Amino acid sequence: MESLLNAHATLIENAVKAAQAAGDLPAFALPAVEIKPPNRPEMGDYAYAGALAVAKAAGMKPIDIAQAIAKHIAPAPFIASVEVAPPGFVNFRLDGAWLRAQIPNIANAADTLGNLTLGKGKRAQVEFVSANPTGPLHIGRSRGAIVGDTIARLLEAAGYEVEREYYFNNAGMQMRHLGNSMRIRYLQALGLPVELPKEEGTFYQGEYLREFAQQLVAERGDSLAEAGWETFKEYAERKMFGMIRQTLERIHIEHDHFFNENSLYDDGSVNATLEALQERDLIYVAPVRESETDEVKAKSANQAPAQWFRSTRLGDTEDRVVLKSDGSPTYTLPDIAYHMNKLARGFDVLVNVLGADHYTEHQVVKYGVQALGGEASRIHVIIMQFVRLIREGREVKMSTRRGDYETLDDLIDQTSSDAVRYMLLARNANSRVDFDLDLAVKQSTDNPVYYIQYAYVRCAGILREAEARGFDASAADLAQLDDEALPFVRRVLTLGDTIAYAAQTFEPHHIAFYAHDLASAFHTLYDRLRVFGDGIDPHVAAARLRFYQAAHVSFKRVLGLMGMSTPDRM
RNA sequence: GUGCCUGUAGCUCAGUGGAUUAGAGCAUUUGUCUACGGAACAAAGGGCCGGGGGUUCGAAUCCCUCCAGGCACACCA
């Protein structure tokens, strides 16, 4: 049973065909069948509203169409009843015995629970974090890290072969600034009277460079006193990457592949990209844009020319510089080369998680890919709005270069890796997040992450108790299980639908809300369906224990999909 | 000014064109209960879904427009 939604949809499709063959319905093209749980649970477990949509095409009243469909729905083991409700709904109710029979399957599924074959045989790549190694990860980056990693987990569950990639740029001006800053810190560590200039855009003010400098002095003494910025850049970069990877590990993120932008220069891709654009007549050499007025052109006629990508021809609002007047490329050229490279690696799906400030950049890259004949439709860009930090009711400004940012490490120290993951996951990527630091610190008891994990802890507690008492549920008769436990089972069985939806829309927050709903359904039951206690029939107790084993597996799986831990005690 | 995103309960947010009643959490009020771990459960109050038009049998959801907020609009990366 891969998906109950699909199973119901198939029933509808076949019923329509059968009704048409029998002459109960006229011939008409059936739109894609959409099945949903009704808003009002008393109406049933799943509902089809399509009879309303096809009424015109069929030339019949919706209620009559629904009747005709219902009449031809083939019996299925999971269906208890099919009802028609005005003005034209077909409502399905799941069979209790069938639901009970799923409990052992759930308990045995372990970490494959909810897995799909949607992406079978397909390869997906998720590129995320991709922070240049100029400073520790700050909170703004961590949202993308968590969203990207969870998308990767969901795609894996959906059956894709997934690669997590980290793209880094150690060839730009910022890295030179880092090298220069590091050099000054090194000289300071040697006791020389040098000051780090306060220019934030050019010199990195963060304390971490002092620490690196101390270590470098310990390793190399004063042997580098005459060395150039490149030496210091390389050292700082290496140390910084170590820090970043360590931080990511704390929130259970590990990349499979680190892609160095330099390699695109080394293997000639950047040049090849420029030449390919030139061949297509999409590059021109001029001091200013072609679209500028004659007046501006005349004024700037003596300035050194740059090379412009005629992206307006692809639909852009203005042309973009790809090669500056000093001959160095802007980000655009290597980024286009990079995306062509990704496409050439044969991924069926490419996901790129970016901050809102990268929107324009990504558009230009996409125009470039299109211009070069790349299959741009395989590239899915997730644009995330920013995380705003609030402390004492006021916004805290973040800046990597300045040094007064909040790092992801700080945040994990103050809360927990699970809390950070859940709080940054449980909202739609295109809404801005206000992260209240004071609340995050003291909120540990209110945080929904504990509510969800507590459901798992309670299951673990029951299982522990059963083991201590030597109580075995393997031969339980699930017919003895209380009816009120069945809505929970039904909800567990929709995990696959949630994974499918979240993976296809690249909206991982759905899994967070699903987890909360599941925990809510669980806690209600826990209060009412005790396994151990006076006056509980042992057969009922055994069935309940079997049920809690399934619940235990369900929460483990859901927490795992969110990259969260599963503590047995809290 | 142009492009993208957002506007839903006091606060933080879900909501995949469907059912005369728009959902959670927090906060507020009231109960349960001292547990297989109460970081729980049950219940109540609280809403012109930013405003206005339109499409549709049917709109928080799609389209137009206005208002408000955020982000981006460099020969920075």
Side-chain angles (χ1 to χ4, degrees):
Chain A
M1 179 60 54
E2 174 162 295
S3 161
L4 281 172
L5 288 183
N6 290 343
H8 283 84
T10 304
L11 285 179
I12 292 284
E13 280 164 17
N14 291 339
V16 169
K17 276 181 210 158
Q20 287 174 333
D24 289 339
L25 282 179
F28 60 84
L30 185 70
V33 173
E34 284 183 31
I35 304 287
K36 282 182 180 181
N39 285 338
R40 300 164 65 176
E42 66 272 19
M43 294 302 206
D45 295 316
Y46 289 98
Y48 173 64
L52 294 157
V54 300
K56 208 169 265 180
M60 286 172 69
K61 284 198 285 188
I63 190 86
D64 295 334
I65 299 170
Q67 295 282 9
I69 294 172
K71 183 179 158 192
H72 288 279
I73 284 174
F78 52 90
I79 298 290
S81 70
V82 182
E83 292 155 24
V84 172
F89 292 94
V90 180
N91 293 329
F92 296 90
R93 213 170 286 277
L94 291 173
D95 183 67
W98 181 83
L99 280 172
R100 285 181 164 84
Q102 302 312 306
I103 290 172
N105 299 342
I106 294 168
N108 294 333
D111 286 342
T112 67
L113 184 65
N115 275 4
L116 310 171
T117 53
L118 205 67
K120 198 173 170 156
K122 293 184 189 165
R123 293 173 65 225
Q125 189 223 54
V126 186
E127 184 220 319
F128 61 111
V129 184
S130 297
N132 293 335
T134 56
L137 289 178
H138 59 78
I139 295 172
R141 286 284 184 186
S142 61
R143 184 177 191 192
I146 286 150
V147 166
D149 182 62
T150 310
I151 287 173
R153 286 168 194 261
L154 289 166
L155 287 169
E156 278 167 348
Y160 287 87
E161 184 191 324
V162 178
E163 181 180 280
R164 292 163 169 83
E165 180 150 300
Y166 188 123
Y167 177 61
F168 67 101
N169 174 344
N170 60 357
M173 189 57 75
Q174 294 307 324
M175 294 305 291
R176 179 193 284 242
H177 293 332
L178 180 74
N180 281 327
S181 306
M182 178 71 195
R183 182 167 169 275
I184 292 172
R185 290 301 190 202
Y186 171 78
L187 296 176
Q188 285 177 338
L190 289 177
L192 295 168
V194 226
E195 282 298 312
L196 187 71
K198 292 267 184 273
E199 299 155 50
E200 286 167 9
T202 315
F203 293 94
Y204 287 86
Q205 309 289 325
E207 283 301 307
Y208 48 86
L209 285 186
R210 287 184 201 272
E211 289 165 30
F212 292 173
Q214 297 291 348
Q215 289 168 25
L216 187 54
V217 169
E219 288 169 28
R220 304 289 298 270
D222 63 0
S223 64
L224 299 175
E226 301 300 320
W229 65 271
E230 295 93 340
T231 306
F232 294 99
K233 183 217 112 175
E234 274 159 35
Y235 184 82
E237 176 188 336
R238 190 156 43 83
K239 297 297 266 188
M240 202 64 75
F241 254 127
M243 269 179 72
I244 289 171
R245 291 176 82 149
Q246 221 171 359
T247 305
L248 288 173
E249 228 170 85
R250 295 183 70 192
I251 49 172
H252 313 123
I253 291 176
E254 203 177 330
H255 287 85
D256 304 302
H257 195 224
F258 284 71
F259 192 100
N260 187 339
E261 178 179 335
N262 267 351
S263 67
L264 296 168
Y265 291 88
D266 295 344
D267 69 8
S269 302
V270 175
N271 274 336
T273 301
L274 181 62
E275 282 164 18
L277 289 171
Q278 284 165 342
E279 279 168 22
R280 288 164 175 76
D281 191 30
L282 290 168
I283 298 289
Y284 59 89
V285 182
V288 291
R289 289 192 175 83
E290 282 181 337
S291 58
E292 290 292 355
T293 60
D294 289 341
E295 198 185 342
V296 173
K297 282 179 183 165
K299 260 187 201 167
S300 53
N302 293 329
Q303 291 173 18
Q307 297 205 28
W308 301 78
F309 171 31
R310 197 172 272 132
S311 55
T312 45
R313 194 170 282 182
L314 285 298
D316 202 355
T317 51
E318 52 188 14
D319 293 336
R320 312 285 171 170
V321 170
V322 289
L323 215 59
K324 294 185 243 174
S325 52
D326 68 3
S328 63
T330 62
Y331 60 80
T332 307
L333 217 42
D335 272 5
I336 295 170
Y338 174 50
H339 280 84
M340 293 304 287
N341 176 295
K342 285 208 261 191
L343 284 166
R345 279 186 269 164
F347 294 105
D348 299 285
V349 176
L350 289 170
V351 183
N352 202 349
V353 181
L354 297 173
D357 54 336
H358 286 67
Y359 180 78
T360 308
E361 161 190 343
H362 146 257
Q363 288 289 71
V364 178
V365 169
K366 214 166 177 182
Y367 291 131
V369 169
Q370 276 168 11
L372 300 181
E375 219 178 311
S377 63
R378 289 189 186 189
I379 303 174
H380 302 271
V381 176
I382 313 305
I383 298 289
M384 280 176 322
Q385 298 304 313
F386 287 133
V387 176
R388 193 166 66 158
L389 286 181
I390 309 289
R391 168 172 282 155
E392 289 164 6
R394 292 215 315 255
E395 183 177 357
V396 182
K397 292 282 180 196
M398 290 183 286
S399 163
T400 312
R401 290 173 210 164
R402 201 161 49 200
D404 62 345
Y405 47 80
E406 291 290 331
T407 65
L408 177 52
D409 268 322
D410 289 343
L411 192 67
I412 298 170
D413 290 342
Q414 288 170 35
T415 58
S416 69
S417 138
D418 289 336
V420 169
R421 276 202 78 123
Y422 190 85
M423 289 180 81
L424 292 178
L425 182 66
R427 32 181 62 78
N428 197 315
N430 48 28
S431 330
R432 193 183 61 185
V433 175
D434 280 345
F435 203 127
D436 189 324
L437 289 164
D438 304 312
L439 199 63
V441 175
K442 72 177 178 197
Q443 204 195 9
S444 57
T445 58
D446 302 333
N447 199 307
V449 67
Y450 294 94
Y451 184 80
I452 297 163
Q453 284 180 322
Y454 189 51
Y456 177 82
V457 167
R458 282 179 143 180
C459 290
I462 295 172
L463 268 44
R464 219 168 27 237
E465 181 70 15
E467 200 176 354
R469 294 179 186 228
F471 189 73
D472 179 24
S474 55
D477 173 14
L478 287 162
Q480 299 289 323
L481 181 67
D482 316 67
D483 285 343
E484 56 191 302
L486 297 182
F488 181 89
V489 177
R490 185 165 55 79
R491 203 167 276 262
V492 170
L493 295 176
T494 64
L495 174 61
D497 296 328
T498 305
I499 290 171
Y501 186 68
Q504 283 171 323
T505 57
F506 308 108
E507 291 179 349
H509 69 280
H510 292 293
I511 195 74
F513 284 91
Y514 172 86
H516 194 274
D517 280 352
L518 195 67
S520 176
F522 173 84
H523 286 305
T524 302
L525 292 175
Y526 178 88
D527 265 20
R528 301 162 69 103
L529 307 184
R530 294 182 57 85
V531 176
F532 304 107
D534 293 337
I536 297 169
D537 182 288
H539 299 291
V540 173
R544 287 178 179 174
L545 180 57
R546 196 80 180 106
F547 167 76
Y548 284 120
Q549 287 171 344
H552 185 252
V553 167
S554 307
F555 284 112
K556 181 158 194 231
R557 174 62 173 147
V558 172
L559 286 165
L561 281 169
M562 295 191 291
M564 289 165 60
S565 63
T566 47
D568 287 330
R569 291 187 167 82
M570 279 165 62

